[in-house]
Each structure stands twice: as C-alpha cells, then as structure tokens.
Amino acid sequence: MSAISPTASFRSAPFEAVPHALLCIMGSTQLNRLPFGVVGLSPDGLVEVYNHTEARLAGLNRDDVLGTSFFLSVAQCMNNFLVAQRFDDEEEIDAVVAYVLTFRMRPTPVRLRLLKRADHPRRYLLIQR
Amino acid sequence: MPSKIRRDASAKALRDENAELLQFLYACPTGLISLDAGGTMLMLNPLAMQLVLPLVRNHEVSNLFKILEPYAPELRSMLASFAPQQGTVCDAHRVFVGRGDRGDVDKVLSCTLVKLSHDRYIATLSDATLQVAQERRLKQAEAWFSSLIDGVDDFAAISLNAHGRIDHVNASVRRQTGFAEHELIGLFLDVFDAPDPASSVLSCREQVALATRDGWHLDEGWCARRDGSRQWCQRLISVCREEGDIEGRTISGFTVVLRAVTRKAADAASLKRRLTTDHLTGVSNRAHFFELAERETARCRRDGVSAALLMLDIDHFKTVNDTFGHAAGDQALKTVSAACGRALQPQDTLARLGGEEFVVLLPLTDLRRAGDVAERLRAMVAALEIVTPFGTFAVTASFGCSMLDDGTASVGVALAAADRALYAAKRGGRNRVALSEREDVAA
C-alpha cells in the first residue's frame, strides 16, 4: 500500500479511487464530509462506521444503525450473492457494481463499491446515488 | 425563545419518529410494495427488492406486473377483473419463478394483492419455496390416506430388514403380485421395479433411500408382477425404529404397503395431474419440470451419465398476439407443444416454463444428439400450419441446448446456459439452433 500523504484532500477523495487504507484512517468529520455513503462493517456484518451522508439519504439516525447487523436490519436487499455473499466468499475485493436500493422505500439506482482487504478485518461499502 | 425551543424539540421528535418508522420498514421480513393500477411500483421495502431483483434485467425495477409477466401473467387480469372499489384481489397467490439466486431450486413467491382505491394497491411478497415443497408432500399423503379410507381392495404388506431385504410378506402379496413368499424372502424390493422412463418413477432402492432420510416415502407408479405384466400401484415405505431408541436413529427395518390403483383412486391421479401440468397446453408445468430435472441431475451425479436441456422459444410471438389476437396466440402454443410432444421419445419431458418459452429434458443424451433433436423439432415447427378462427399462419422457433452431467452445479445453472444459447440463436437471426459452450455449464 502506497504511503498516504497526511495532507491529502479528503473532501475530493473520489468514489472510485479512495483506498481502503485511507478510509481506515479518516476521522468521522472527514468521513461525514464525503459526498457518498460510507458503511464500514465488521467481519460479522455489524455496522462500525456509518457516515452522515448515508444516514441522511437513508433517513436513519446514525446511532440507531451502529452495532446492528447491516444485511438484516437495514439492507436486506443486498443480502444476496451479489453483495453480502461476496464479502464472505472473496479474500480481497475492490469492485464497483450497478445496483438498485430502496432509500425511504423508493427504488433508487446507485453504484456500489465493495472494498475488502486480506490484511484488515473491516469491509467497506461505498454507495453513490 | 421558549416557543422556538418547543418547535425545534417537536421537529426533532418527528425526525426521530420518522427514522424509527423507516428502520421498521427496512427490517421488515416480508416484502411490501405500493403500486398503481398499471403495476408501477411507487414504494417498496428492501425485502421486496431482494425478491424481485433476481427477476429483472438491466435493473429495471419499475413495474411489478411486467417483472412477474413471464411467471404469472394472470396477475394483471386478476386485477383488471376485480370489480369492487376495494378489497383483496388475491391472497397468497403462488408464483413459480424458478432459478433461485444461485439457480439451485425452483423458487416460489407468495403474493397478496389488496386494492385500496381505483389507482392504489398494496402487495406483499414472500418466499414460499420451503412451504410449497412441504405442501406437495402433504398433498400426496392426503391423496394416499383418503384413497385408503375409500378403497376396500387388498393391501400387500411387505417387511424389509435393516439392509432392505424382504424378510416377511402377507398373504395378499401373492394375490397382487403373483410371487410366493419363499420366492421373495432375501430379495431387495427391486424385484418389483418395472422401469418406465415416461412416468419418471424412482426405483425401489431410491425410494427406500428417501424413506430412510424422511421417515417415510409415498409414490405411485408401475409395479412388476411375476408373469412379466405390470400394474399401477401406490407404494408407501415407512421406517421401523428399534424399540426404546428415543433418538430414533437406528433403523430396524421397513414396512412397505403396495396397493393396486383402480378407478376409485382416479382422484389421486387427477390431483397429481393438476399439480404437474400446464393448464393451457397440457405439457408439464414449471414446478414439475424442476422436480424432474433435479432428479435427473442427481442421477447424472450418481451414475456419471449426462442429460440435455433444450430450450425453445417461439419467434416474434408478440407479433402473433398483436396480429391475430391472444386466442390465436394460445392456439399457436397448443399446436406447437402438441407437435413437439408427439415428436419426442416417451422418456423425454416437455414443459412450459412460461409465456412462449418451453424446455425439453432429454435423459441420457449428449449435446450433439440434443442438437440433432432440436434441429428436427425446429424444422417440424417451421412446417406447422396454425389453424385458428382468426386466420391460418406459420411460426418458427429458436432453440438453445445445454448439458446436465456429473459436473453440473444445478438445474438452474444448466438452464441459464441453455438460455444463453437460446439468446445466441435469437441474435443469430431466429429459427435456428445454438449449442451452449461446455465451459458455461460447469460453474
């Protein structure tokens, strides 16, 4: 993993390119400023990171979501072999997939970026509307 | 300003309440959909999305009726013919959608549709796959037990030891099968096997294996008699446990009851027919096809043999419907399926998957031979004359073939390969046959 400059502009961290390692070191203020949703999950699928953008668009309170089982309580529509299963099956992932989610019960086309590294327990799901 | 603080506090309370409601809907374990009279989905919760997403192409999640059209075209007409201002249009209506997420088993959705006003409907969707499989077993059992009560014929009772060998038979066995007790002792139940691929009945050994797994097994099929003739029998195999074996793990033997089916049991036969055939064309239905294909896949795996799937789709069927009307379209489906049925071997199964799409299961067939069969059917369909009161016309069909063998992951995977080949045939100009690449089938 290349070294990350501490002065890197978090605000412009692009959806397709922001690396796993950078997400890991970002503070909540920086994560909250990102224009796309960021969900960080433990290996058991429990929500460890839930940024402001995601909470606002999903219409949920961040504190209610943290610690819950993401694919059961918030995102059942991703509990399949296209998303949840991939996190279990694949050692490392960095993939962008087109998907449809149900934000506030409205079908919403989105792009998802799935991030998982073999050397780090946390998985990230980035969501761009 | 106290009033502003009060306002802010109540706005926050409202936001929290809203978030709580959303969380409730996000986590709901049943699919909920709000839709208009045309089927456009206005709102749906994540579980509804999870259930419909595998059925759509290109992420076009907009119209429920359009998505379910290939599997349940009747939904639209049920809604159209529902006259009351509000009420339940259908309750737990079964939709066989096949091809689960990973193409494993035939998936069944249960759909309830309620009319709220002329242009507002609410639907629930849930996965009823397991429930349907269980019900099928129960219905068989019901048919069996009701025929036991109605009938006064003889029952042949046979007991098997733990190894599946016959150790005792009752007097009726001789009357019903022609075999004397001493001729049967020590033999396996196979002695009654009367192979008949057309009825796709499991062998006796397979039935004993199923009884071992489930505690009992009920089936209907041909049974061989001593003189070489055969009779249609219902057969119940149940497991006997060791006494005092609380866990019920040790099998001490089996009890087998054979009963020749006479006209009195026609009810069971017609129930079976209703459960297995397509109403319009009389060929096998989707659910029955998956059942047979699962069984064939298991056989391929066990015996190292292969089978082929042949998918066919009538070309430009929409144009037929638009030009001559739906009744003529239905006639075309009937004519084509009847002609294909006549051209196939008795061991082959022709089934309607939905709409104008059919599939043929060809046991003990390789891809090359499947291609030959498809080519023969293609030429035959193209030469057919569809005679209807609305005009006489001709149709063509496109074909895609794939293989089932010991390396096939599931029926769904093989069906998807045949579907891809079919798509290639369509793209290649229709009225033609395409074979699946071998690599596609092994997943």
Side-chain angles (χ1 to χ4, degrees):
Chain A
M1 177 108 297
S2 58
I4 290 150
S5 153
T7 58
S9 164
F10 292 144
R11 189 66 203 254
S12 66
F15 173 79
E16 291 88 355
V18 55
H20 188 285
L22 181 57
L23 290 165
C24 287
I25 59 164
M26 277 185 173
S28 61
T29 319
Q30 292 148 344
L31 285 169
N32 286 342
R33 280 200 198 128
L34 292 174
F36 47 85
V38 179
V39 182
L41 301 172
S42 74
D44 302 334
L46 302 181
V47 181
E48 296 178 335
V49 174
Y50 198 70
N51 78 343
H52 182 71
T53 313
E54 189 54 32
R56 186 168 48 80
L57 291 165
L60 296 174
N61 286 328
R62 183 175 162 276
D63 290 345
D64 296 339
V65 177
L66 287 176
T68 62
S69 170
F70 187 64
F71 295 116
L72 282 183
S73 62
V74 181
Q76 291 188 86
C77 52
M78 289 190 269
N79 195 6
N80 57 24
F81 71 99
L82 294 171
V83 185
Q85 193 66 43
R86 281 190 72 174
F87 278 120
D88 287 339
D89 291 350
E90 296 174 36
E91 189 109 330
E92 296 221 334
I93 322 174
D94 183 354
V96 175
V97 289
Y99 211 78
V100 196
L101 297 181
T102 46
F103 285 107
R104 299 163 190 258
M105 313 310 138
R106 312 277 174 187
T108 315
V110 295
R111 292 201 311 146
L112 301 176
R113 181 153 169 243
L114 282 55
L115 278 169
K116 180 183 172 185
R117 288 189 53 87
D119 58 10
H120 201 285
R122 183 173 294 158
R123 299 99 191 257
Y124 283 100
L125 185 66
L126 310 186
I127 304 163
Q128 189 177 53
R129 283 92 184 150
Chain B
M1 279 183 354
S3 71
K4 181 174 186 305
I5 292 166
R6 256 207 310 280
R7 242 193 345 264
D8 285 354
S10 77
K12 180 171 185 318
L14 209 60
R15 260 203 318 279
D16 285 349
E17 200 179 299
N18 185 41
E20 216 172 300
L21 278 171
L22 282 172
Q23 206 165 15
F24 174 64
L25 288 169
Y26 283 137
C28 176
T30 287
L32 288 174
I33 304 170
S34 130
L35 57 161
D36 69 17
T40 300
M41 294 189 276
L42 311 169
M43 283 205 245
L44 75 168
N45 72 343
L47 199 87
M49 182 65 91
Q50 193 205 41
L51 293 173
V52 301
L53 208 55
L55 309 181
V56 301
R57 285 185 185 172
N58 307 326
H59 298 108
E60 277 173 45
V61 185
S62 58
N63 189 304
L64 183 65
F65 297 153
K66 217 167 135 191
I67 292 170
L68 294 179
E69 182 98 63
Y71 317 101
E74 68 277 12
L75 275 183
R76 209 187 278 271
S77 52
M78 279 159 76
L79 186 136
S81 60
F82 186 79
Q85 288 300 304
Q86 64 264 314
T88 305
V89 180
C90 63
D91 189 9
H93 186 72
R94 299 286 163 77
V95 183
F96 286 82
V97 296
R99 306 178 214 179
D101 281 354
R102 280 199 157 162
D104 37 11
V105 289
D106 191 18
K107 201 165 164 178
V108 188
L109 300 183
S110 169
C111 175
T112 294
L113 192 56
V114 175
K115 183 176 184 178
L116 302 175
S117 71
H118 77 283
D119 200 29
R120 230 182 117 221
Y121 294 79
I122 190 154
T124 65
L125 272 188
S126 55
D127 189 335
T129 310
L130 281 179
Q131 199 185 340
V132 167
Q134 250 164 10
E135 274 172 21
R136 199 171 291 147
R137 263 170 68 85
L138 278 177
K139 270 187 187 153
Q140 285 180 334
E142 199 182 310
W144 161 267
F145 289 115
S146 66
S147 70
L148 274 188
I149 293 160
D150 294 346
V152 283
D153 346 23
D154 251 359
F155 299 98
I158 301 165
S159 77
L160 310 181
N161 65 18
H163 307 289
R165 290 184 187 272
I166 298 172
D167 59 11
H168 184 74
V169 303
N170 74 353
S172 298
V173 169
R174 182 157 206 165
R175 277 197 296 280
Q176 222 179 84
T177 69
F179 288 103
E181 174 162 17
H182 69 87
E183 293 175 298
L184 293 171
I185 300 296
L187 298 182
F188 287 109
L189 208 53
D190 303 23
V191 64
F192 300 113
D193 268 345
D196 175 51
S199 68
S200 66
V201 168
L202 296 171
S203 74
C204 288
R205 249 175 232 243
E206 287 171 316
Q207 297 189 30
V208 169
L210 284 173
T212 307
R213 191 192 68 185
D214 301 337
W216 57 276
H217 182 77
L218 182 61
D219 213 335
E220 223 183 273
W222 292 111
C223 246
R225 292 170 52 87
R226 189 174 187 274
D227 61 9
S229 65
R230 59 181 195 175
Q231 60 186 344
W232 190 260
C233 278
Q234 292 177 331
R235 178 161 30 189
L236 173 69
I237 304 177
S238 64
V239 167
C240 309
R241 307 279 179 192
E242 288 291 358
E243 264 183 58
D245 178 13
I246 297 164
E247 299 260 308
R249 287 212 181 125
T250 323
I251 291 173
S252 62
F254 301 86
T255 303
V256 182
V257 178
L258 290 180
R259 175 176 183 268
V261 180
T262 54
R263 289 207 167 266
K264 277 180 187 163
D267 280 1
S270 88
L271 175 69
K272 188 160 182 169
R273 198 163 43 247
R274 264 189 290 132
L275 288 172
T276 57
T277 57
D278 174 61
H279 287 286
L280 178 67
T281 60
V283 302
S284 291
N285 64 16
R286 217 186 147 81
H288 189 52
F289 162 75
F290 273 90
E291 212 174 303
L292 296 181
E294 294 293 343
R295 211 179 275 175
E296 195 58 37
T297 313
R299 190 156 79 111
C300 290
R301 248 177 242 144
R302 194 187 57 223
D303 301 344
V305 295
S306 70
L309 289 184
L310 214 159
M311 250 171 114
L312 69 119
D313 187 283
I314 300 176
D315 297 326
H316 301 299
F317 189 68
K318 192 175 175 302
T319 316
V320 171
N321 276 333
D322 292 349
T323 315
F324 298 97
H326 284 275
D330 285 352
Q331 186 55 51
L333 293 173
K334 282 197 242 181
T335 308
V336 168
S337 58
C340 288
R342 278 195 302 273
L344 291 166
Q345 300 289 318
Q347 70 270 21
D348 302 335
T349 302
L350 171 65
R352 184 176 177 209
L353 287 178
E356 67 274 26
E357 201 177 56
F358 294 85
V359 67
V360 184
L361 172 66
L362 302 165
L364 300 175
T365 303
D366 61 24
L367 197 56
R368 204 176 51 82
R369 228 207 86 210
D372 294 345
V373 174
E375 182 50 38
R376 200 156 47 80
L377 293 180
R378 186 205 60 77
M380 191 202 63
V381 170
L384 281 177
E385 208 171 52
I386 317 281
V387 184
T388 79
F390 317 97
T392 297
F393 54 91
V395 293
T396 59
S398 301
F399 294 74
C401 312
S402 74
M403 293 280 293
L404 276 178
D405 59 24
D406 54 359
T408 304
S410 70
V411 176
V413 170
L415 203 57
D419 197 25
R420 281 196 295 278
L422 172 63
Y423 184 66
K426 291 268 182 194
R427 223 176 19 207
R430 297 185 169 83
N431 190 22
R432 63 190 62 210
V433 174
L435 305 184
S436 142
E437 296 295 323
R438 180 63 189 82
E439 291 73 27
D440 283 1
V441 187

